[in-house]
Amino acid sequence: MTSTLTTHGTATTPAEHTPREGAFGNATELRCRECGSTIPLGAHYACLECFGPLEVAYEYPAITREQIEAGPRNIWRYAALLPVPADVASFPNTEPGLTRLVRAGNLAAELGLSTLWVKDDSGNPTHSFKDRVVAVALTAARELGFQVLACPSTGNLANAVAAAAARAGIRSVVLVPQDLEQQKIITTAVYGGTLVAVEGTYDDVNRLASEIAGEEEGWAFVNVNVRPYYAEGSKTLAYEIAEQLGWRLPDQIVVPVASGAQLVKIDKGIRELIDLGLVEDKPVKIYGAQATGCAPVATAFKEGHDVVAPVRPATLAKSLAIGNPADGPYVLDVCRRTGGTVEDVTDEQVVDGIALLARTEGIFGETAGGVTIATLQKLIETGQLDPSLETVVINSGDGLKTLDAVAGRVGPKATIKPTYEAFTEAGLA
């Protein structure tokens, strides 16, 4: 393993640390997604040849459904498909995953869909899908000898990193935009790590994190210098959807897009399940969802571009407010290859989407969930999504984190004196 910091910003591994044998399970190397060059497993996140992003490559043994089903009731049931050691479940962690897949009959009827499911990741330990990716990143950081778990975040990742580090007994440092929702600030600070508010957008915060990662030996920024491992955690969403559907794939999936890594890794997870013979091969259309106030990927898709032009975010959906999404071009590739698309919705439609999901299914999603539901509705209305096909939408986080988004839209219908007469006079009977 290298312990050298390069000008490419590819590695800052603690000196003289050698990971255990089998520390990364069936993972074999890191592979550049642009030029295909490979590099040994380590704290690298950019290709030494072309500076392209790296991802984890594997040599999988035969893996059966029965082996997975016999595993723990969290993401570690898929440990053989992740860059983690076989004994990963024995270390203190927040045990995310195996969240519910809800049959959304009421919402389906309202939107005119035949079969709709909501993968509700608000049920994770810190109430968002970020617990999945952080659990995998924390494992890699531990095996690589890092002492500090850190991240730049739009909120959900901040919660997950702070909680995971507390559970693991290590220090956390979280950088967030200073205008982040108060609920996400409180639910990060409560775990006792170091929370830093930074003047600027998430993209400014991310640039600062990259600089710190290049200077501070022993700091694992989960979505910077151990990003290849971190991103792999999102594959577990695809695994769970397939397993919860009885080891089969849906026809269509709608996924919120911030950096884009979640959508890209869901596609990777689907292809792995097919390649391993764990599900029957079939086409799955993948759709991306963004808020109009930060829709660089949707814009690139609609204009037929292969590159994503950065934007300055201006949306209430702050968890998706990444103006320069790292995986944007790969989202374009996945959506075009699978026959999906990338669509965007206004902030008003986002709030409508939150209310619609809550009113029909009793699920209170955060603003990213509102983006996904509103986008689903728009895709149906514009004929871009086939309502007769089985569809899954992702609710990536809990609405309690973004109360301000709906605070002006909901509340008491009346304020009355504590008498039955007042109740009836108000027309409430």
Side-chain angles (χ1 to χ4, degrees), residues 47-323:
C47 176
L48 296 174
E49 301 295 329
C50 71
F51 207 33
L54 300 172
E55 70 173 356
V56 181
Y58 302 84
E59 283 186 9
Y60 290 125
I63 299 171
T64 68
R65 296 175 180 176
E66 290 73 21
Q67 289 172 332
I68 293 172
E69 291 167 350
R73 295 190 61 76
N74 53 54
I75 64 168
W76 303 136
R77 66 201 286 106
Y78 309 109
L81 296 159
L82 297 169
V84 298
D87 62 350
V88 62
S90 66
F91 292 89
N93 68 89
T94 58
E95 300 182 352
L98 220 58
T99 56
R100 60 182 185 160
L101 183 68
V102 180
R103 181 74 177 257
N106 296 331
L107 180 57
E110 186 127 351
L111 297 179
L113 282 157
S114 60
T115 308
L116 177 64
W117 303 87
V118 176
K119 181 60 173 170
D120 185 16
D121 248 15
S122 67
N124 276 311
T126 66
H127 311 288
S128 87
F129 82 102
K130 291 293 187 181
D131 290 312
R132 299 175 182 272
V133 288
V134 169
V136 178
L138 171 60
T139 302
R142 181 172 53 228
E143 298 295 345
L144 290 166
F146 288 101
Q147 294 89 40
V148 178
L149 200 67
C151 72
S153 174
T154 57
N156 283 326
L157 181 58
N159 294 174
V161 164
R167 173 74 174 139
I170 62 175
R171 182 187 177 199
S172 68
V173 178
V174 172
L175 311 176
V176 298
Q178 67 171 358
D179 66 345
L180 191 66
E181 296 99 335
Q182 280 299 306
Q183 296 91 337
K184 288 178 178 172
I185 289 176
I186 294 169
T187 51
T188 298
V190 72
Y191 295 107
T194 301
L195 175 63
V196 181
V198 179
E199 296 177 1
T201 66
Y202 171 79
D203 297 288
D204 297 319
V205 178
N206 192 44
R207 280 190 287 273
L208 173 58
S210 297
E211 291 180 28
I212 297 172
E215 297 293 335
E216 298 293 334
E217 184 175 296
W219 286 40
F221 278 82
V222 297
N223 50 346
V224 181
N225 54 348
V226 289
R227 184 178 181 85
Y229 309 94
Y230 159 89
E232 290 292 285
S234 284
K235 296 192 306 181
T236 58
L237 271 162
Y239 303 155
E240 289 182 17
I241 290 169
E243 183 179 353
Q244 290 170 320
L245 287 177
W247 291 109
R248 62 179 179 80
L249 299 172
D251 300 308
Q252 305 171 135
I253 303 178
V254 185
V255 185
V257 173
S259 75
Q262 184 188 48
L263 184 149
V264 172
K265 293 303 178 181
I266 286 175
D267 174 68
K268 184 178 181 182
I270 288 171
R271 287 184 284 117
E272 287 177 341
L273 293 177
I274 293 171
D275 290 343
L276 288 165
L278 293 169
V279 297
E280 184 178 345
D281 191 1
K282 63 173 288 188
V284 180
K285 294 182 179 180
I286 299 181
Y287 298 82
Q290 293 200 296
T292 304
C294 185
V297 187
T299 299
F301 189 95
K302 293 173 184 176
E303 295 179 351
H305 296 158
D306 294 327
V307 297
V308 176
V311 301
R312 188 169 183 85
T315 172
L316 61 78
K318 295 186 185 302
S319 61
L320 302 184
I322 297 179

Side-chain angles (χ1 to χ4, degrees), residues 297-368:
V297 187
T299 299
F301 189 95
K302 293 173 184 176
E303 295 179 351
H305 296 158
D306 294 327
V307 297
V308 176
V311 301
R312 188 169 183 85
T315 172
L316 61 78
K318 295 186 185 302
S319 61
L320 302 184
I322 297 179
N324 189 16
D327 276 48
Y330 304 102
V331 170
L332 296 174
D333 291 343
V334 169
C335 292
R336 286 171 176 150
R337 172 171 50 78
T338 63
T341 186
V342 188
E343 190 52 271
D344 60 277
V345 290
T346 66
D347 282 358
E348 183 176 358
Q349 290 171 316
V350 172
V351 177
D352 289 343
I354 293 172
L356 178 61
L357 180 60
R359 176 170 59 78
T360 55
E361 298 299 339
I363 297 173
F364 185 17
E366 65 160 344
T367 49

